[in-house]
Amino acid sequence: MTTTDTITDVDILVTSPGRNFVLLKITTADGVTGWGDATLNGRELAVASYLRDHLAPLLIGRDPARVEDTWQYLYRGAYWRRGPVTMTAIGAVDIALWDIKGKTTGQPVYQLLGGAVRDRILAYTHATGWDLPQLLESIEIRRDRGFRAVRAQSGVPGLELVYGVSRSGTGYEPAGRGAAPVEETWDTDAYLRHIPRVLTRIREHVGPELKLLHDTHHRLTPGEAARLGRALEPADLFWLEDVTPAENQEVLRHIRRHTTVPLAIGEVFNTVWECQTLITEQLIDYIRTCVSHAGGISHLRRIATLADLWQVRLGPHGPSDISPVALGASLHLGLATPNFAIQEYMGYEPLVHEVFRHAWSYADGHLHPGDAPGIGVEIDEELAARHPYEPACLPVARRLDGSMTDW
Ligand code: CS2
Ligand code: MG
């Protein structure tokens, strides 16, 4: 007779080893612990409260093996559903339960998902530079580290602060400390005058092999995006990301009529239903939904399956505000998913690698989840406790005339 374990403890850890992370720890009567990632950059406490105040009481006593039933219970049982806070909370529970399932069966999660369909996962990382020389240097440093794919973000003449770029040329963390967002000034015209020349010059410098990516970060109108796409075709980008704000997906039809530049969208999406139009009308080439913000492994699998029917591939979100737990979960899914194309990997500061002891690894431009049972990431709770949460939030952006635009 199979005995069923039960969930006895649900704990939420908010820690800040250089930046804020929210972790979910589920413990069972058999003493098995599973970890989930509930980090939502700039809204961490909202997800921590949703988990602590609303989901944790529902989980106590449940059978941890019933991963899908728990997903359905938490999703369909929440009348006010979807959205980043709800789906990140559900995602954290899902990842933690897959972690437990792997540990109780002694299997890395990718084996439970059907086994590996590839040997390793292509990674892309961020190169930034305030000007072209600094950006080219940043790209070469990443190439020296073995990356085959690099996202290039440049400063824009006349602008003080630009998404994705730090003036110092060091790593870029968008969330500023404090409760009030930094206000950036944005000038689309200056950006459109500048970025095609920068990316074309980069392509001339690096040659044809390196996969080049660029993130427009939700800032253009459909017409501007169509013009930019056409202008960037000689740069042969691997993808142009988030060209327009994600709410109105039909506008991508206009852009698709004018340019063949590969498009990637979806990091701010949280369910398969938000991805449906983009995928079934093939308005994109890559879907960017992230395992922690889109309901966990169970739901990102659904998005991957729909995308596969339409030959859309996965390129999940994975910047520094996705913890090593979610990165590990994404890699298990990536190893076992045929249409998984590339994983974003910004890397982490050394202290983060100390707090999060992970089986996943980077080598030679690729990532692998490792073969530890479960997700393969354990948290040094004592070290995490020494770095308490610090208020931080993402910037906002205003146009030159002072009106709000999309950051
Ligand atoms: C960006 C993110 O990596 C990306 O593609 O869009 O870094 C995004 O700006 C942050 O996740 C926001 O917290
Ligand atoms: Mg992005």
Side-chain angles (χ1 to χ4, degrees):
M1 184 192 68
T2 55
T3 58
T4 53
D5 197 357
T6 56
I7 294 171
T8 56
D9 298 276
V10 177
D11 300 293
I12 291 88
L13 278 71
V14 186
T15 178
S16 193
R19 54 147 301 106
N20 293 314
F21 293 112
V22 183
L23 289 314
L24 172 70
K25 177 183 175 185
I26 296 179
T27 306
T28 74
D30 289 354
V32 184
T33 296
W35 290 100
D37 184 1
T39 307
L40 186 65
N41 203 3
R43 293 293 181 270
E44 292 87 359
L45 299 187
V47 184
S49 167
Y50 194 100
L51 282 165
R52 181 178 51 247
D53 301 325
H54 300 291
L55 297 197
L58 305 181
L59 292 171
I60 303 297
R62 282 188 67 86
D63 176 355
R66 299 183 67 178
V67 183
E68 183 61 32
D69 181 61
T70 299
W71 195 97
Q72 297 291 333
Y73 178 62
L74 297 181
Y75 179 79
R76 299 189 188 287
Y79 185 74
W80 312 109
R81 52 198 190 197
R82 294 181 296 167
V85 173
T86 301
M87 297 315 294
T88 299
I90 294 175
V93 173
D94 187 78
I95 293 169
L97 293 182
W98 275 106
D99 193 20
I100 289 169
K101 190 175 281 291
K103 288 170 178 173
T104 48
T105 57
Q107 292 291 321
V109 167
Y110 75 83
Q111 292 290 14
L112 302 177
L113 299 174
V117 298
R118 58 179 53 84
D119 301 324
R120 55 186 189 161
I121 295 160
L122 179 66
Y124 82 87
T125 194
H126 292 194
T128 70
W130 196 256
D131 55 28
L132 185 59
Q134 197 181 66
L135 183 46
L136 290 176
E137 184 187 358
S138 179
I139 290 170
E140 291 307 332
I141 290 168
R142 273 100 191 134
R143 283 218 288 193
D144 291 345
R145 289 179 191 159
F147 284 98
R148 312 299 207 274
V150 176
R151 188 190 84 166
Q153 301 295 130
S154 166
V156 175
L159 296 183
E160 275 305 303
L161 295 169
V162 175
Y163 162 72
V165 189
S166 66
R167 273 218 181 261
S168 62
T170 56
Y172 171 74
E173 167 50 66
R177 292 295 184 184
V182 169
E183 293 218 352
E184 300 183 359
T185 300
W186 177 248
D187 179 354
T188 296
D189 293 339
Y191 168 79
L192 290 175
R193 283 194 299 271
H194 186 64
I195 205 65
R197 188 168 56 81
V198 168
L199 291 172
T200 306
R201 289 285 303 280
I202 290 172
R203 176 56 72 199
E204 289 163 2
H205 175 85
V206 301
E209 303 294 319
L210 183 72
K211 292 176 176 28
L212 266 186
L213 302 85
H214 179 67
D215 193 344
T216 299
H217 219 261
H218 321 284
R219 304 194 176 195
L220 304 182
T221 64
E224 291 164 347
R227 277 174 32 219
L228 178 61
R230 297 268 303 259
L232 290 179
E233 284 172 13
D236 188 25
L237 294 187
F238 181 83
W239 81 36
L240 181 62
E241 180 179 343
D242 282 339
V243 283
T244 55
E247 286 86 349
N248 184 342
Q249 301 178 19
E250 285 71 18
V251 302
L252 271 292
R253 294 176 191 142
H254 172 76
I255 300 167
R256 281 303 233 199
R257 279 195 291 273
H258 292 280
T259 179
T260 58
V261 71
L263 299 177
I265 290 180
E267 71 180 45
V268 295
F269 290 171
N270 312 108
T271 67
V272 64
W273 293 283
E274 290 158 276
C275 309
Q276 203 169 336
T277 303
L278 289 174
I279 290 173
T280 58
E281 292 192 19
Q282 291 195 312
L283 300 178
I284 54 174
D285 302 276
Y286 299 93
I287 187 71
R288 289 272 287 140
T289 33
C290 162
V291 68
S292 50
H293 297 156
I297 291 170
S298 302
H299 198 61
L300 190 53
R301 270 180 117 188
R302 282 188 163 78
I303 293 170
T305 302
L306 175 67
D308 202 12
L309 300 181
W310 299 90
Q311 294 178 289
V312 171
R313 296 190 289 168
L314 263 69
H317 193 218
S320 53
D321 46 283
I322 304 296
S323 96
V325 172
L327 184 73
S330 194
L331 296 178
H332 281 280
L333 187 66
L335 208 64
T337 302
N339 60 322
F340 195 105
I342 194 167
Q343 173 63 51
E344 180 175 13
Y345 175 55
M346 266 181 82
Y348 297 98
E349 294 301 320
L351 178 58
V352 175
H353 290 289
E354 287 178 49
V355 172
F356 295 84
R357 296 192 305 278
H358 52 80
W360 58 257
S361 58
Y362 167 80
D364 190 30
H366 293 76
L367 291 155
H368 191 283
D371 284 291
I375 300 292
V377 183
E378 297 300 327
I379 283 92
D380 181 332
E381 295 182 61
E382 189 275 327
L383 182 57
R386 281 192 249 143
H387 300 276
Y389 168 78
E390 294 184 45
C393 58
L394 289 169
V396 299
R398 291 185 181 274
R399 299 183 183 89
L400 297 176
D401 67 1
S403 58
M404 283 294 291
T405 184
D406 298 282
W407 177 77

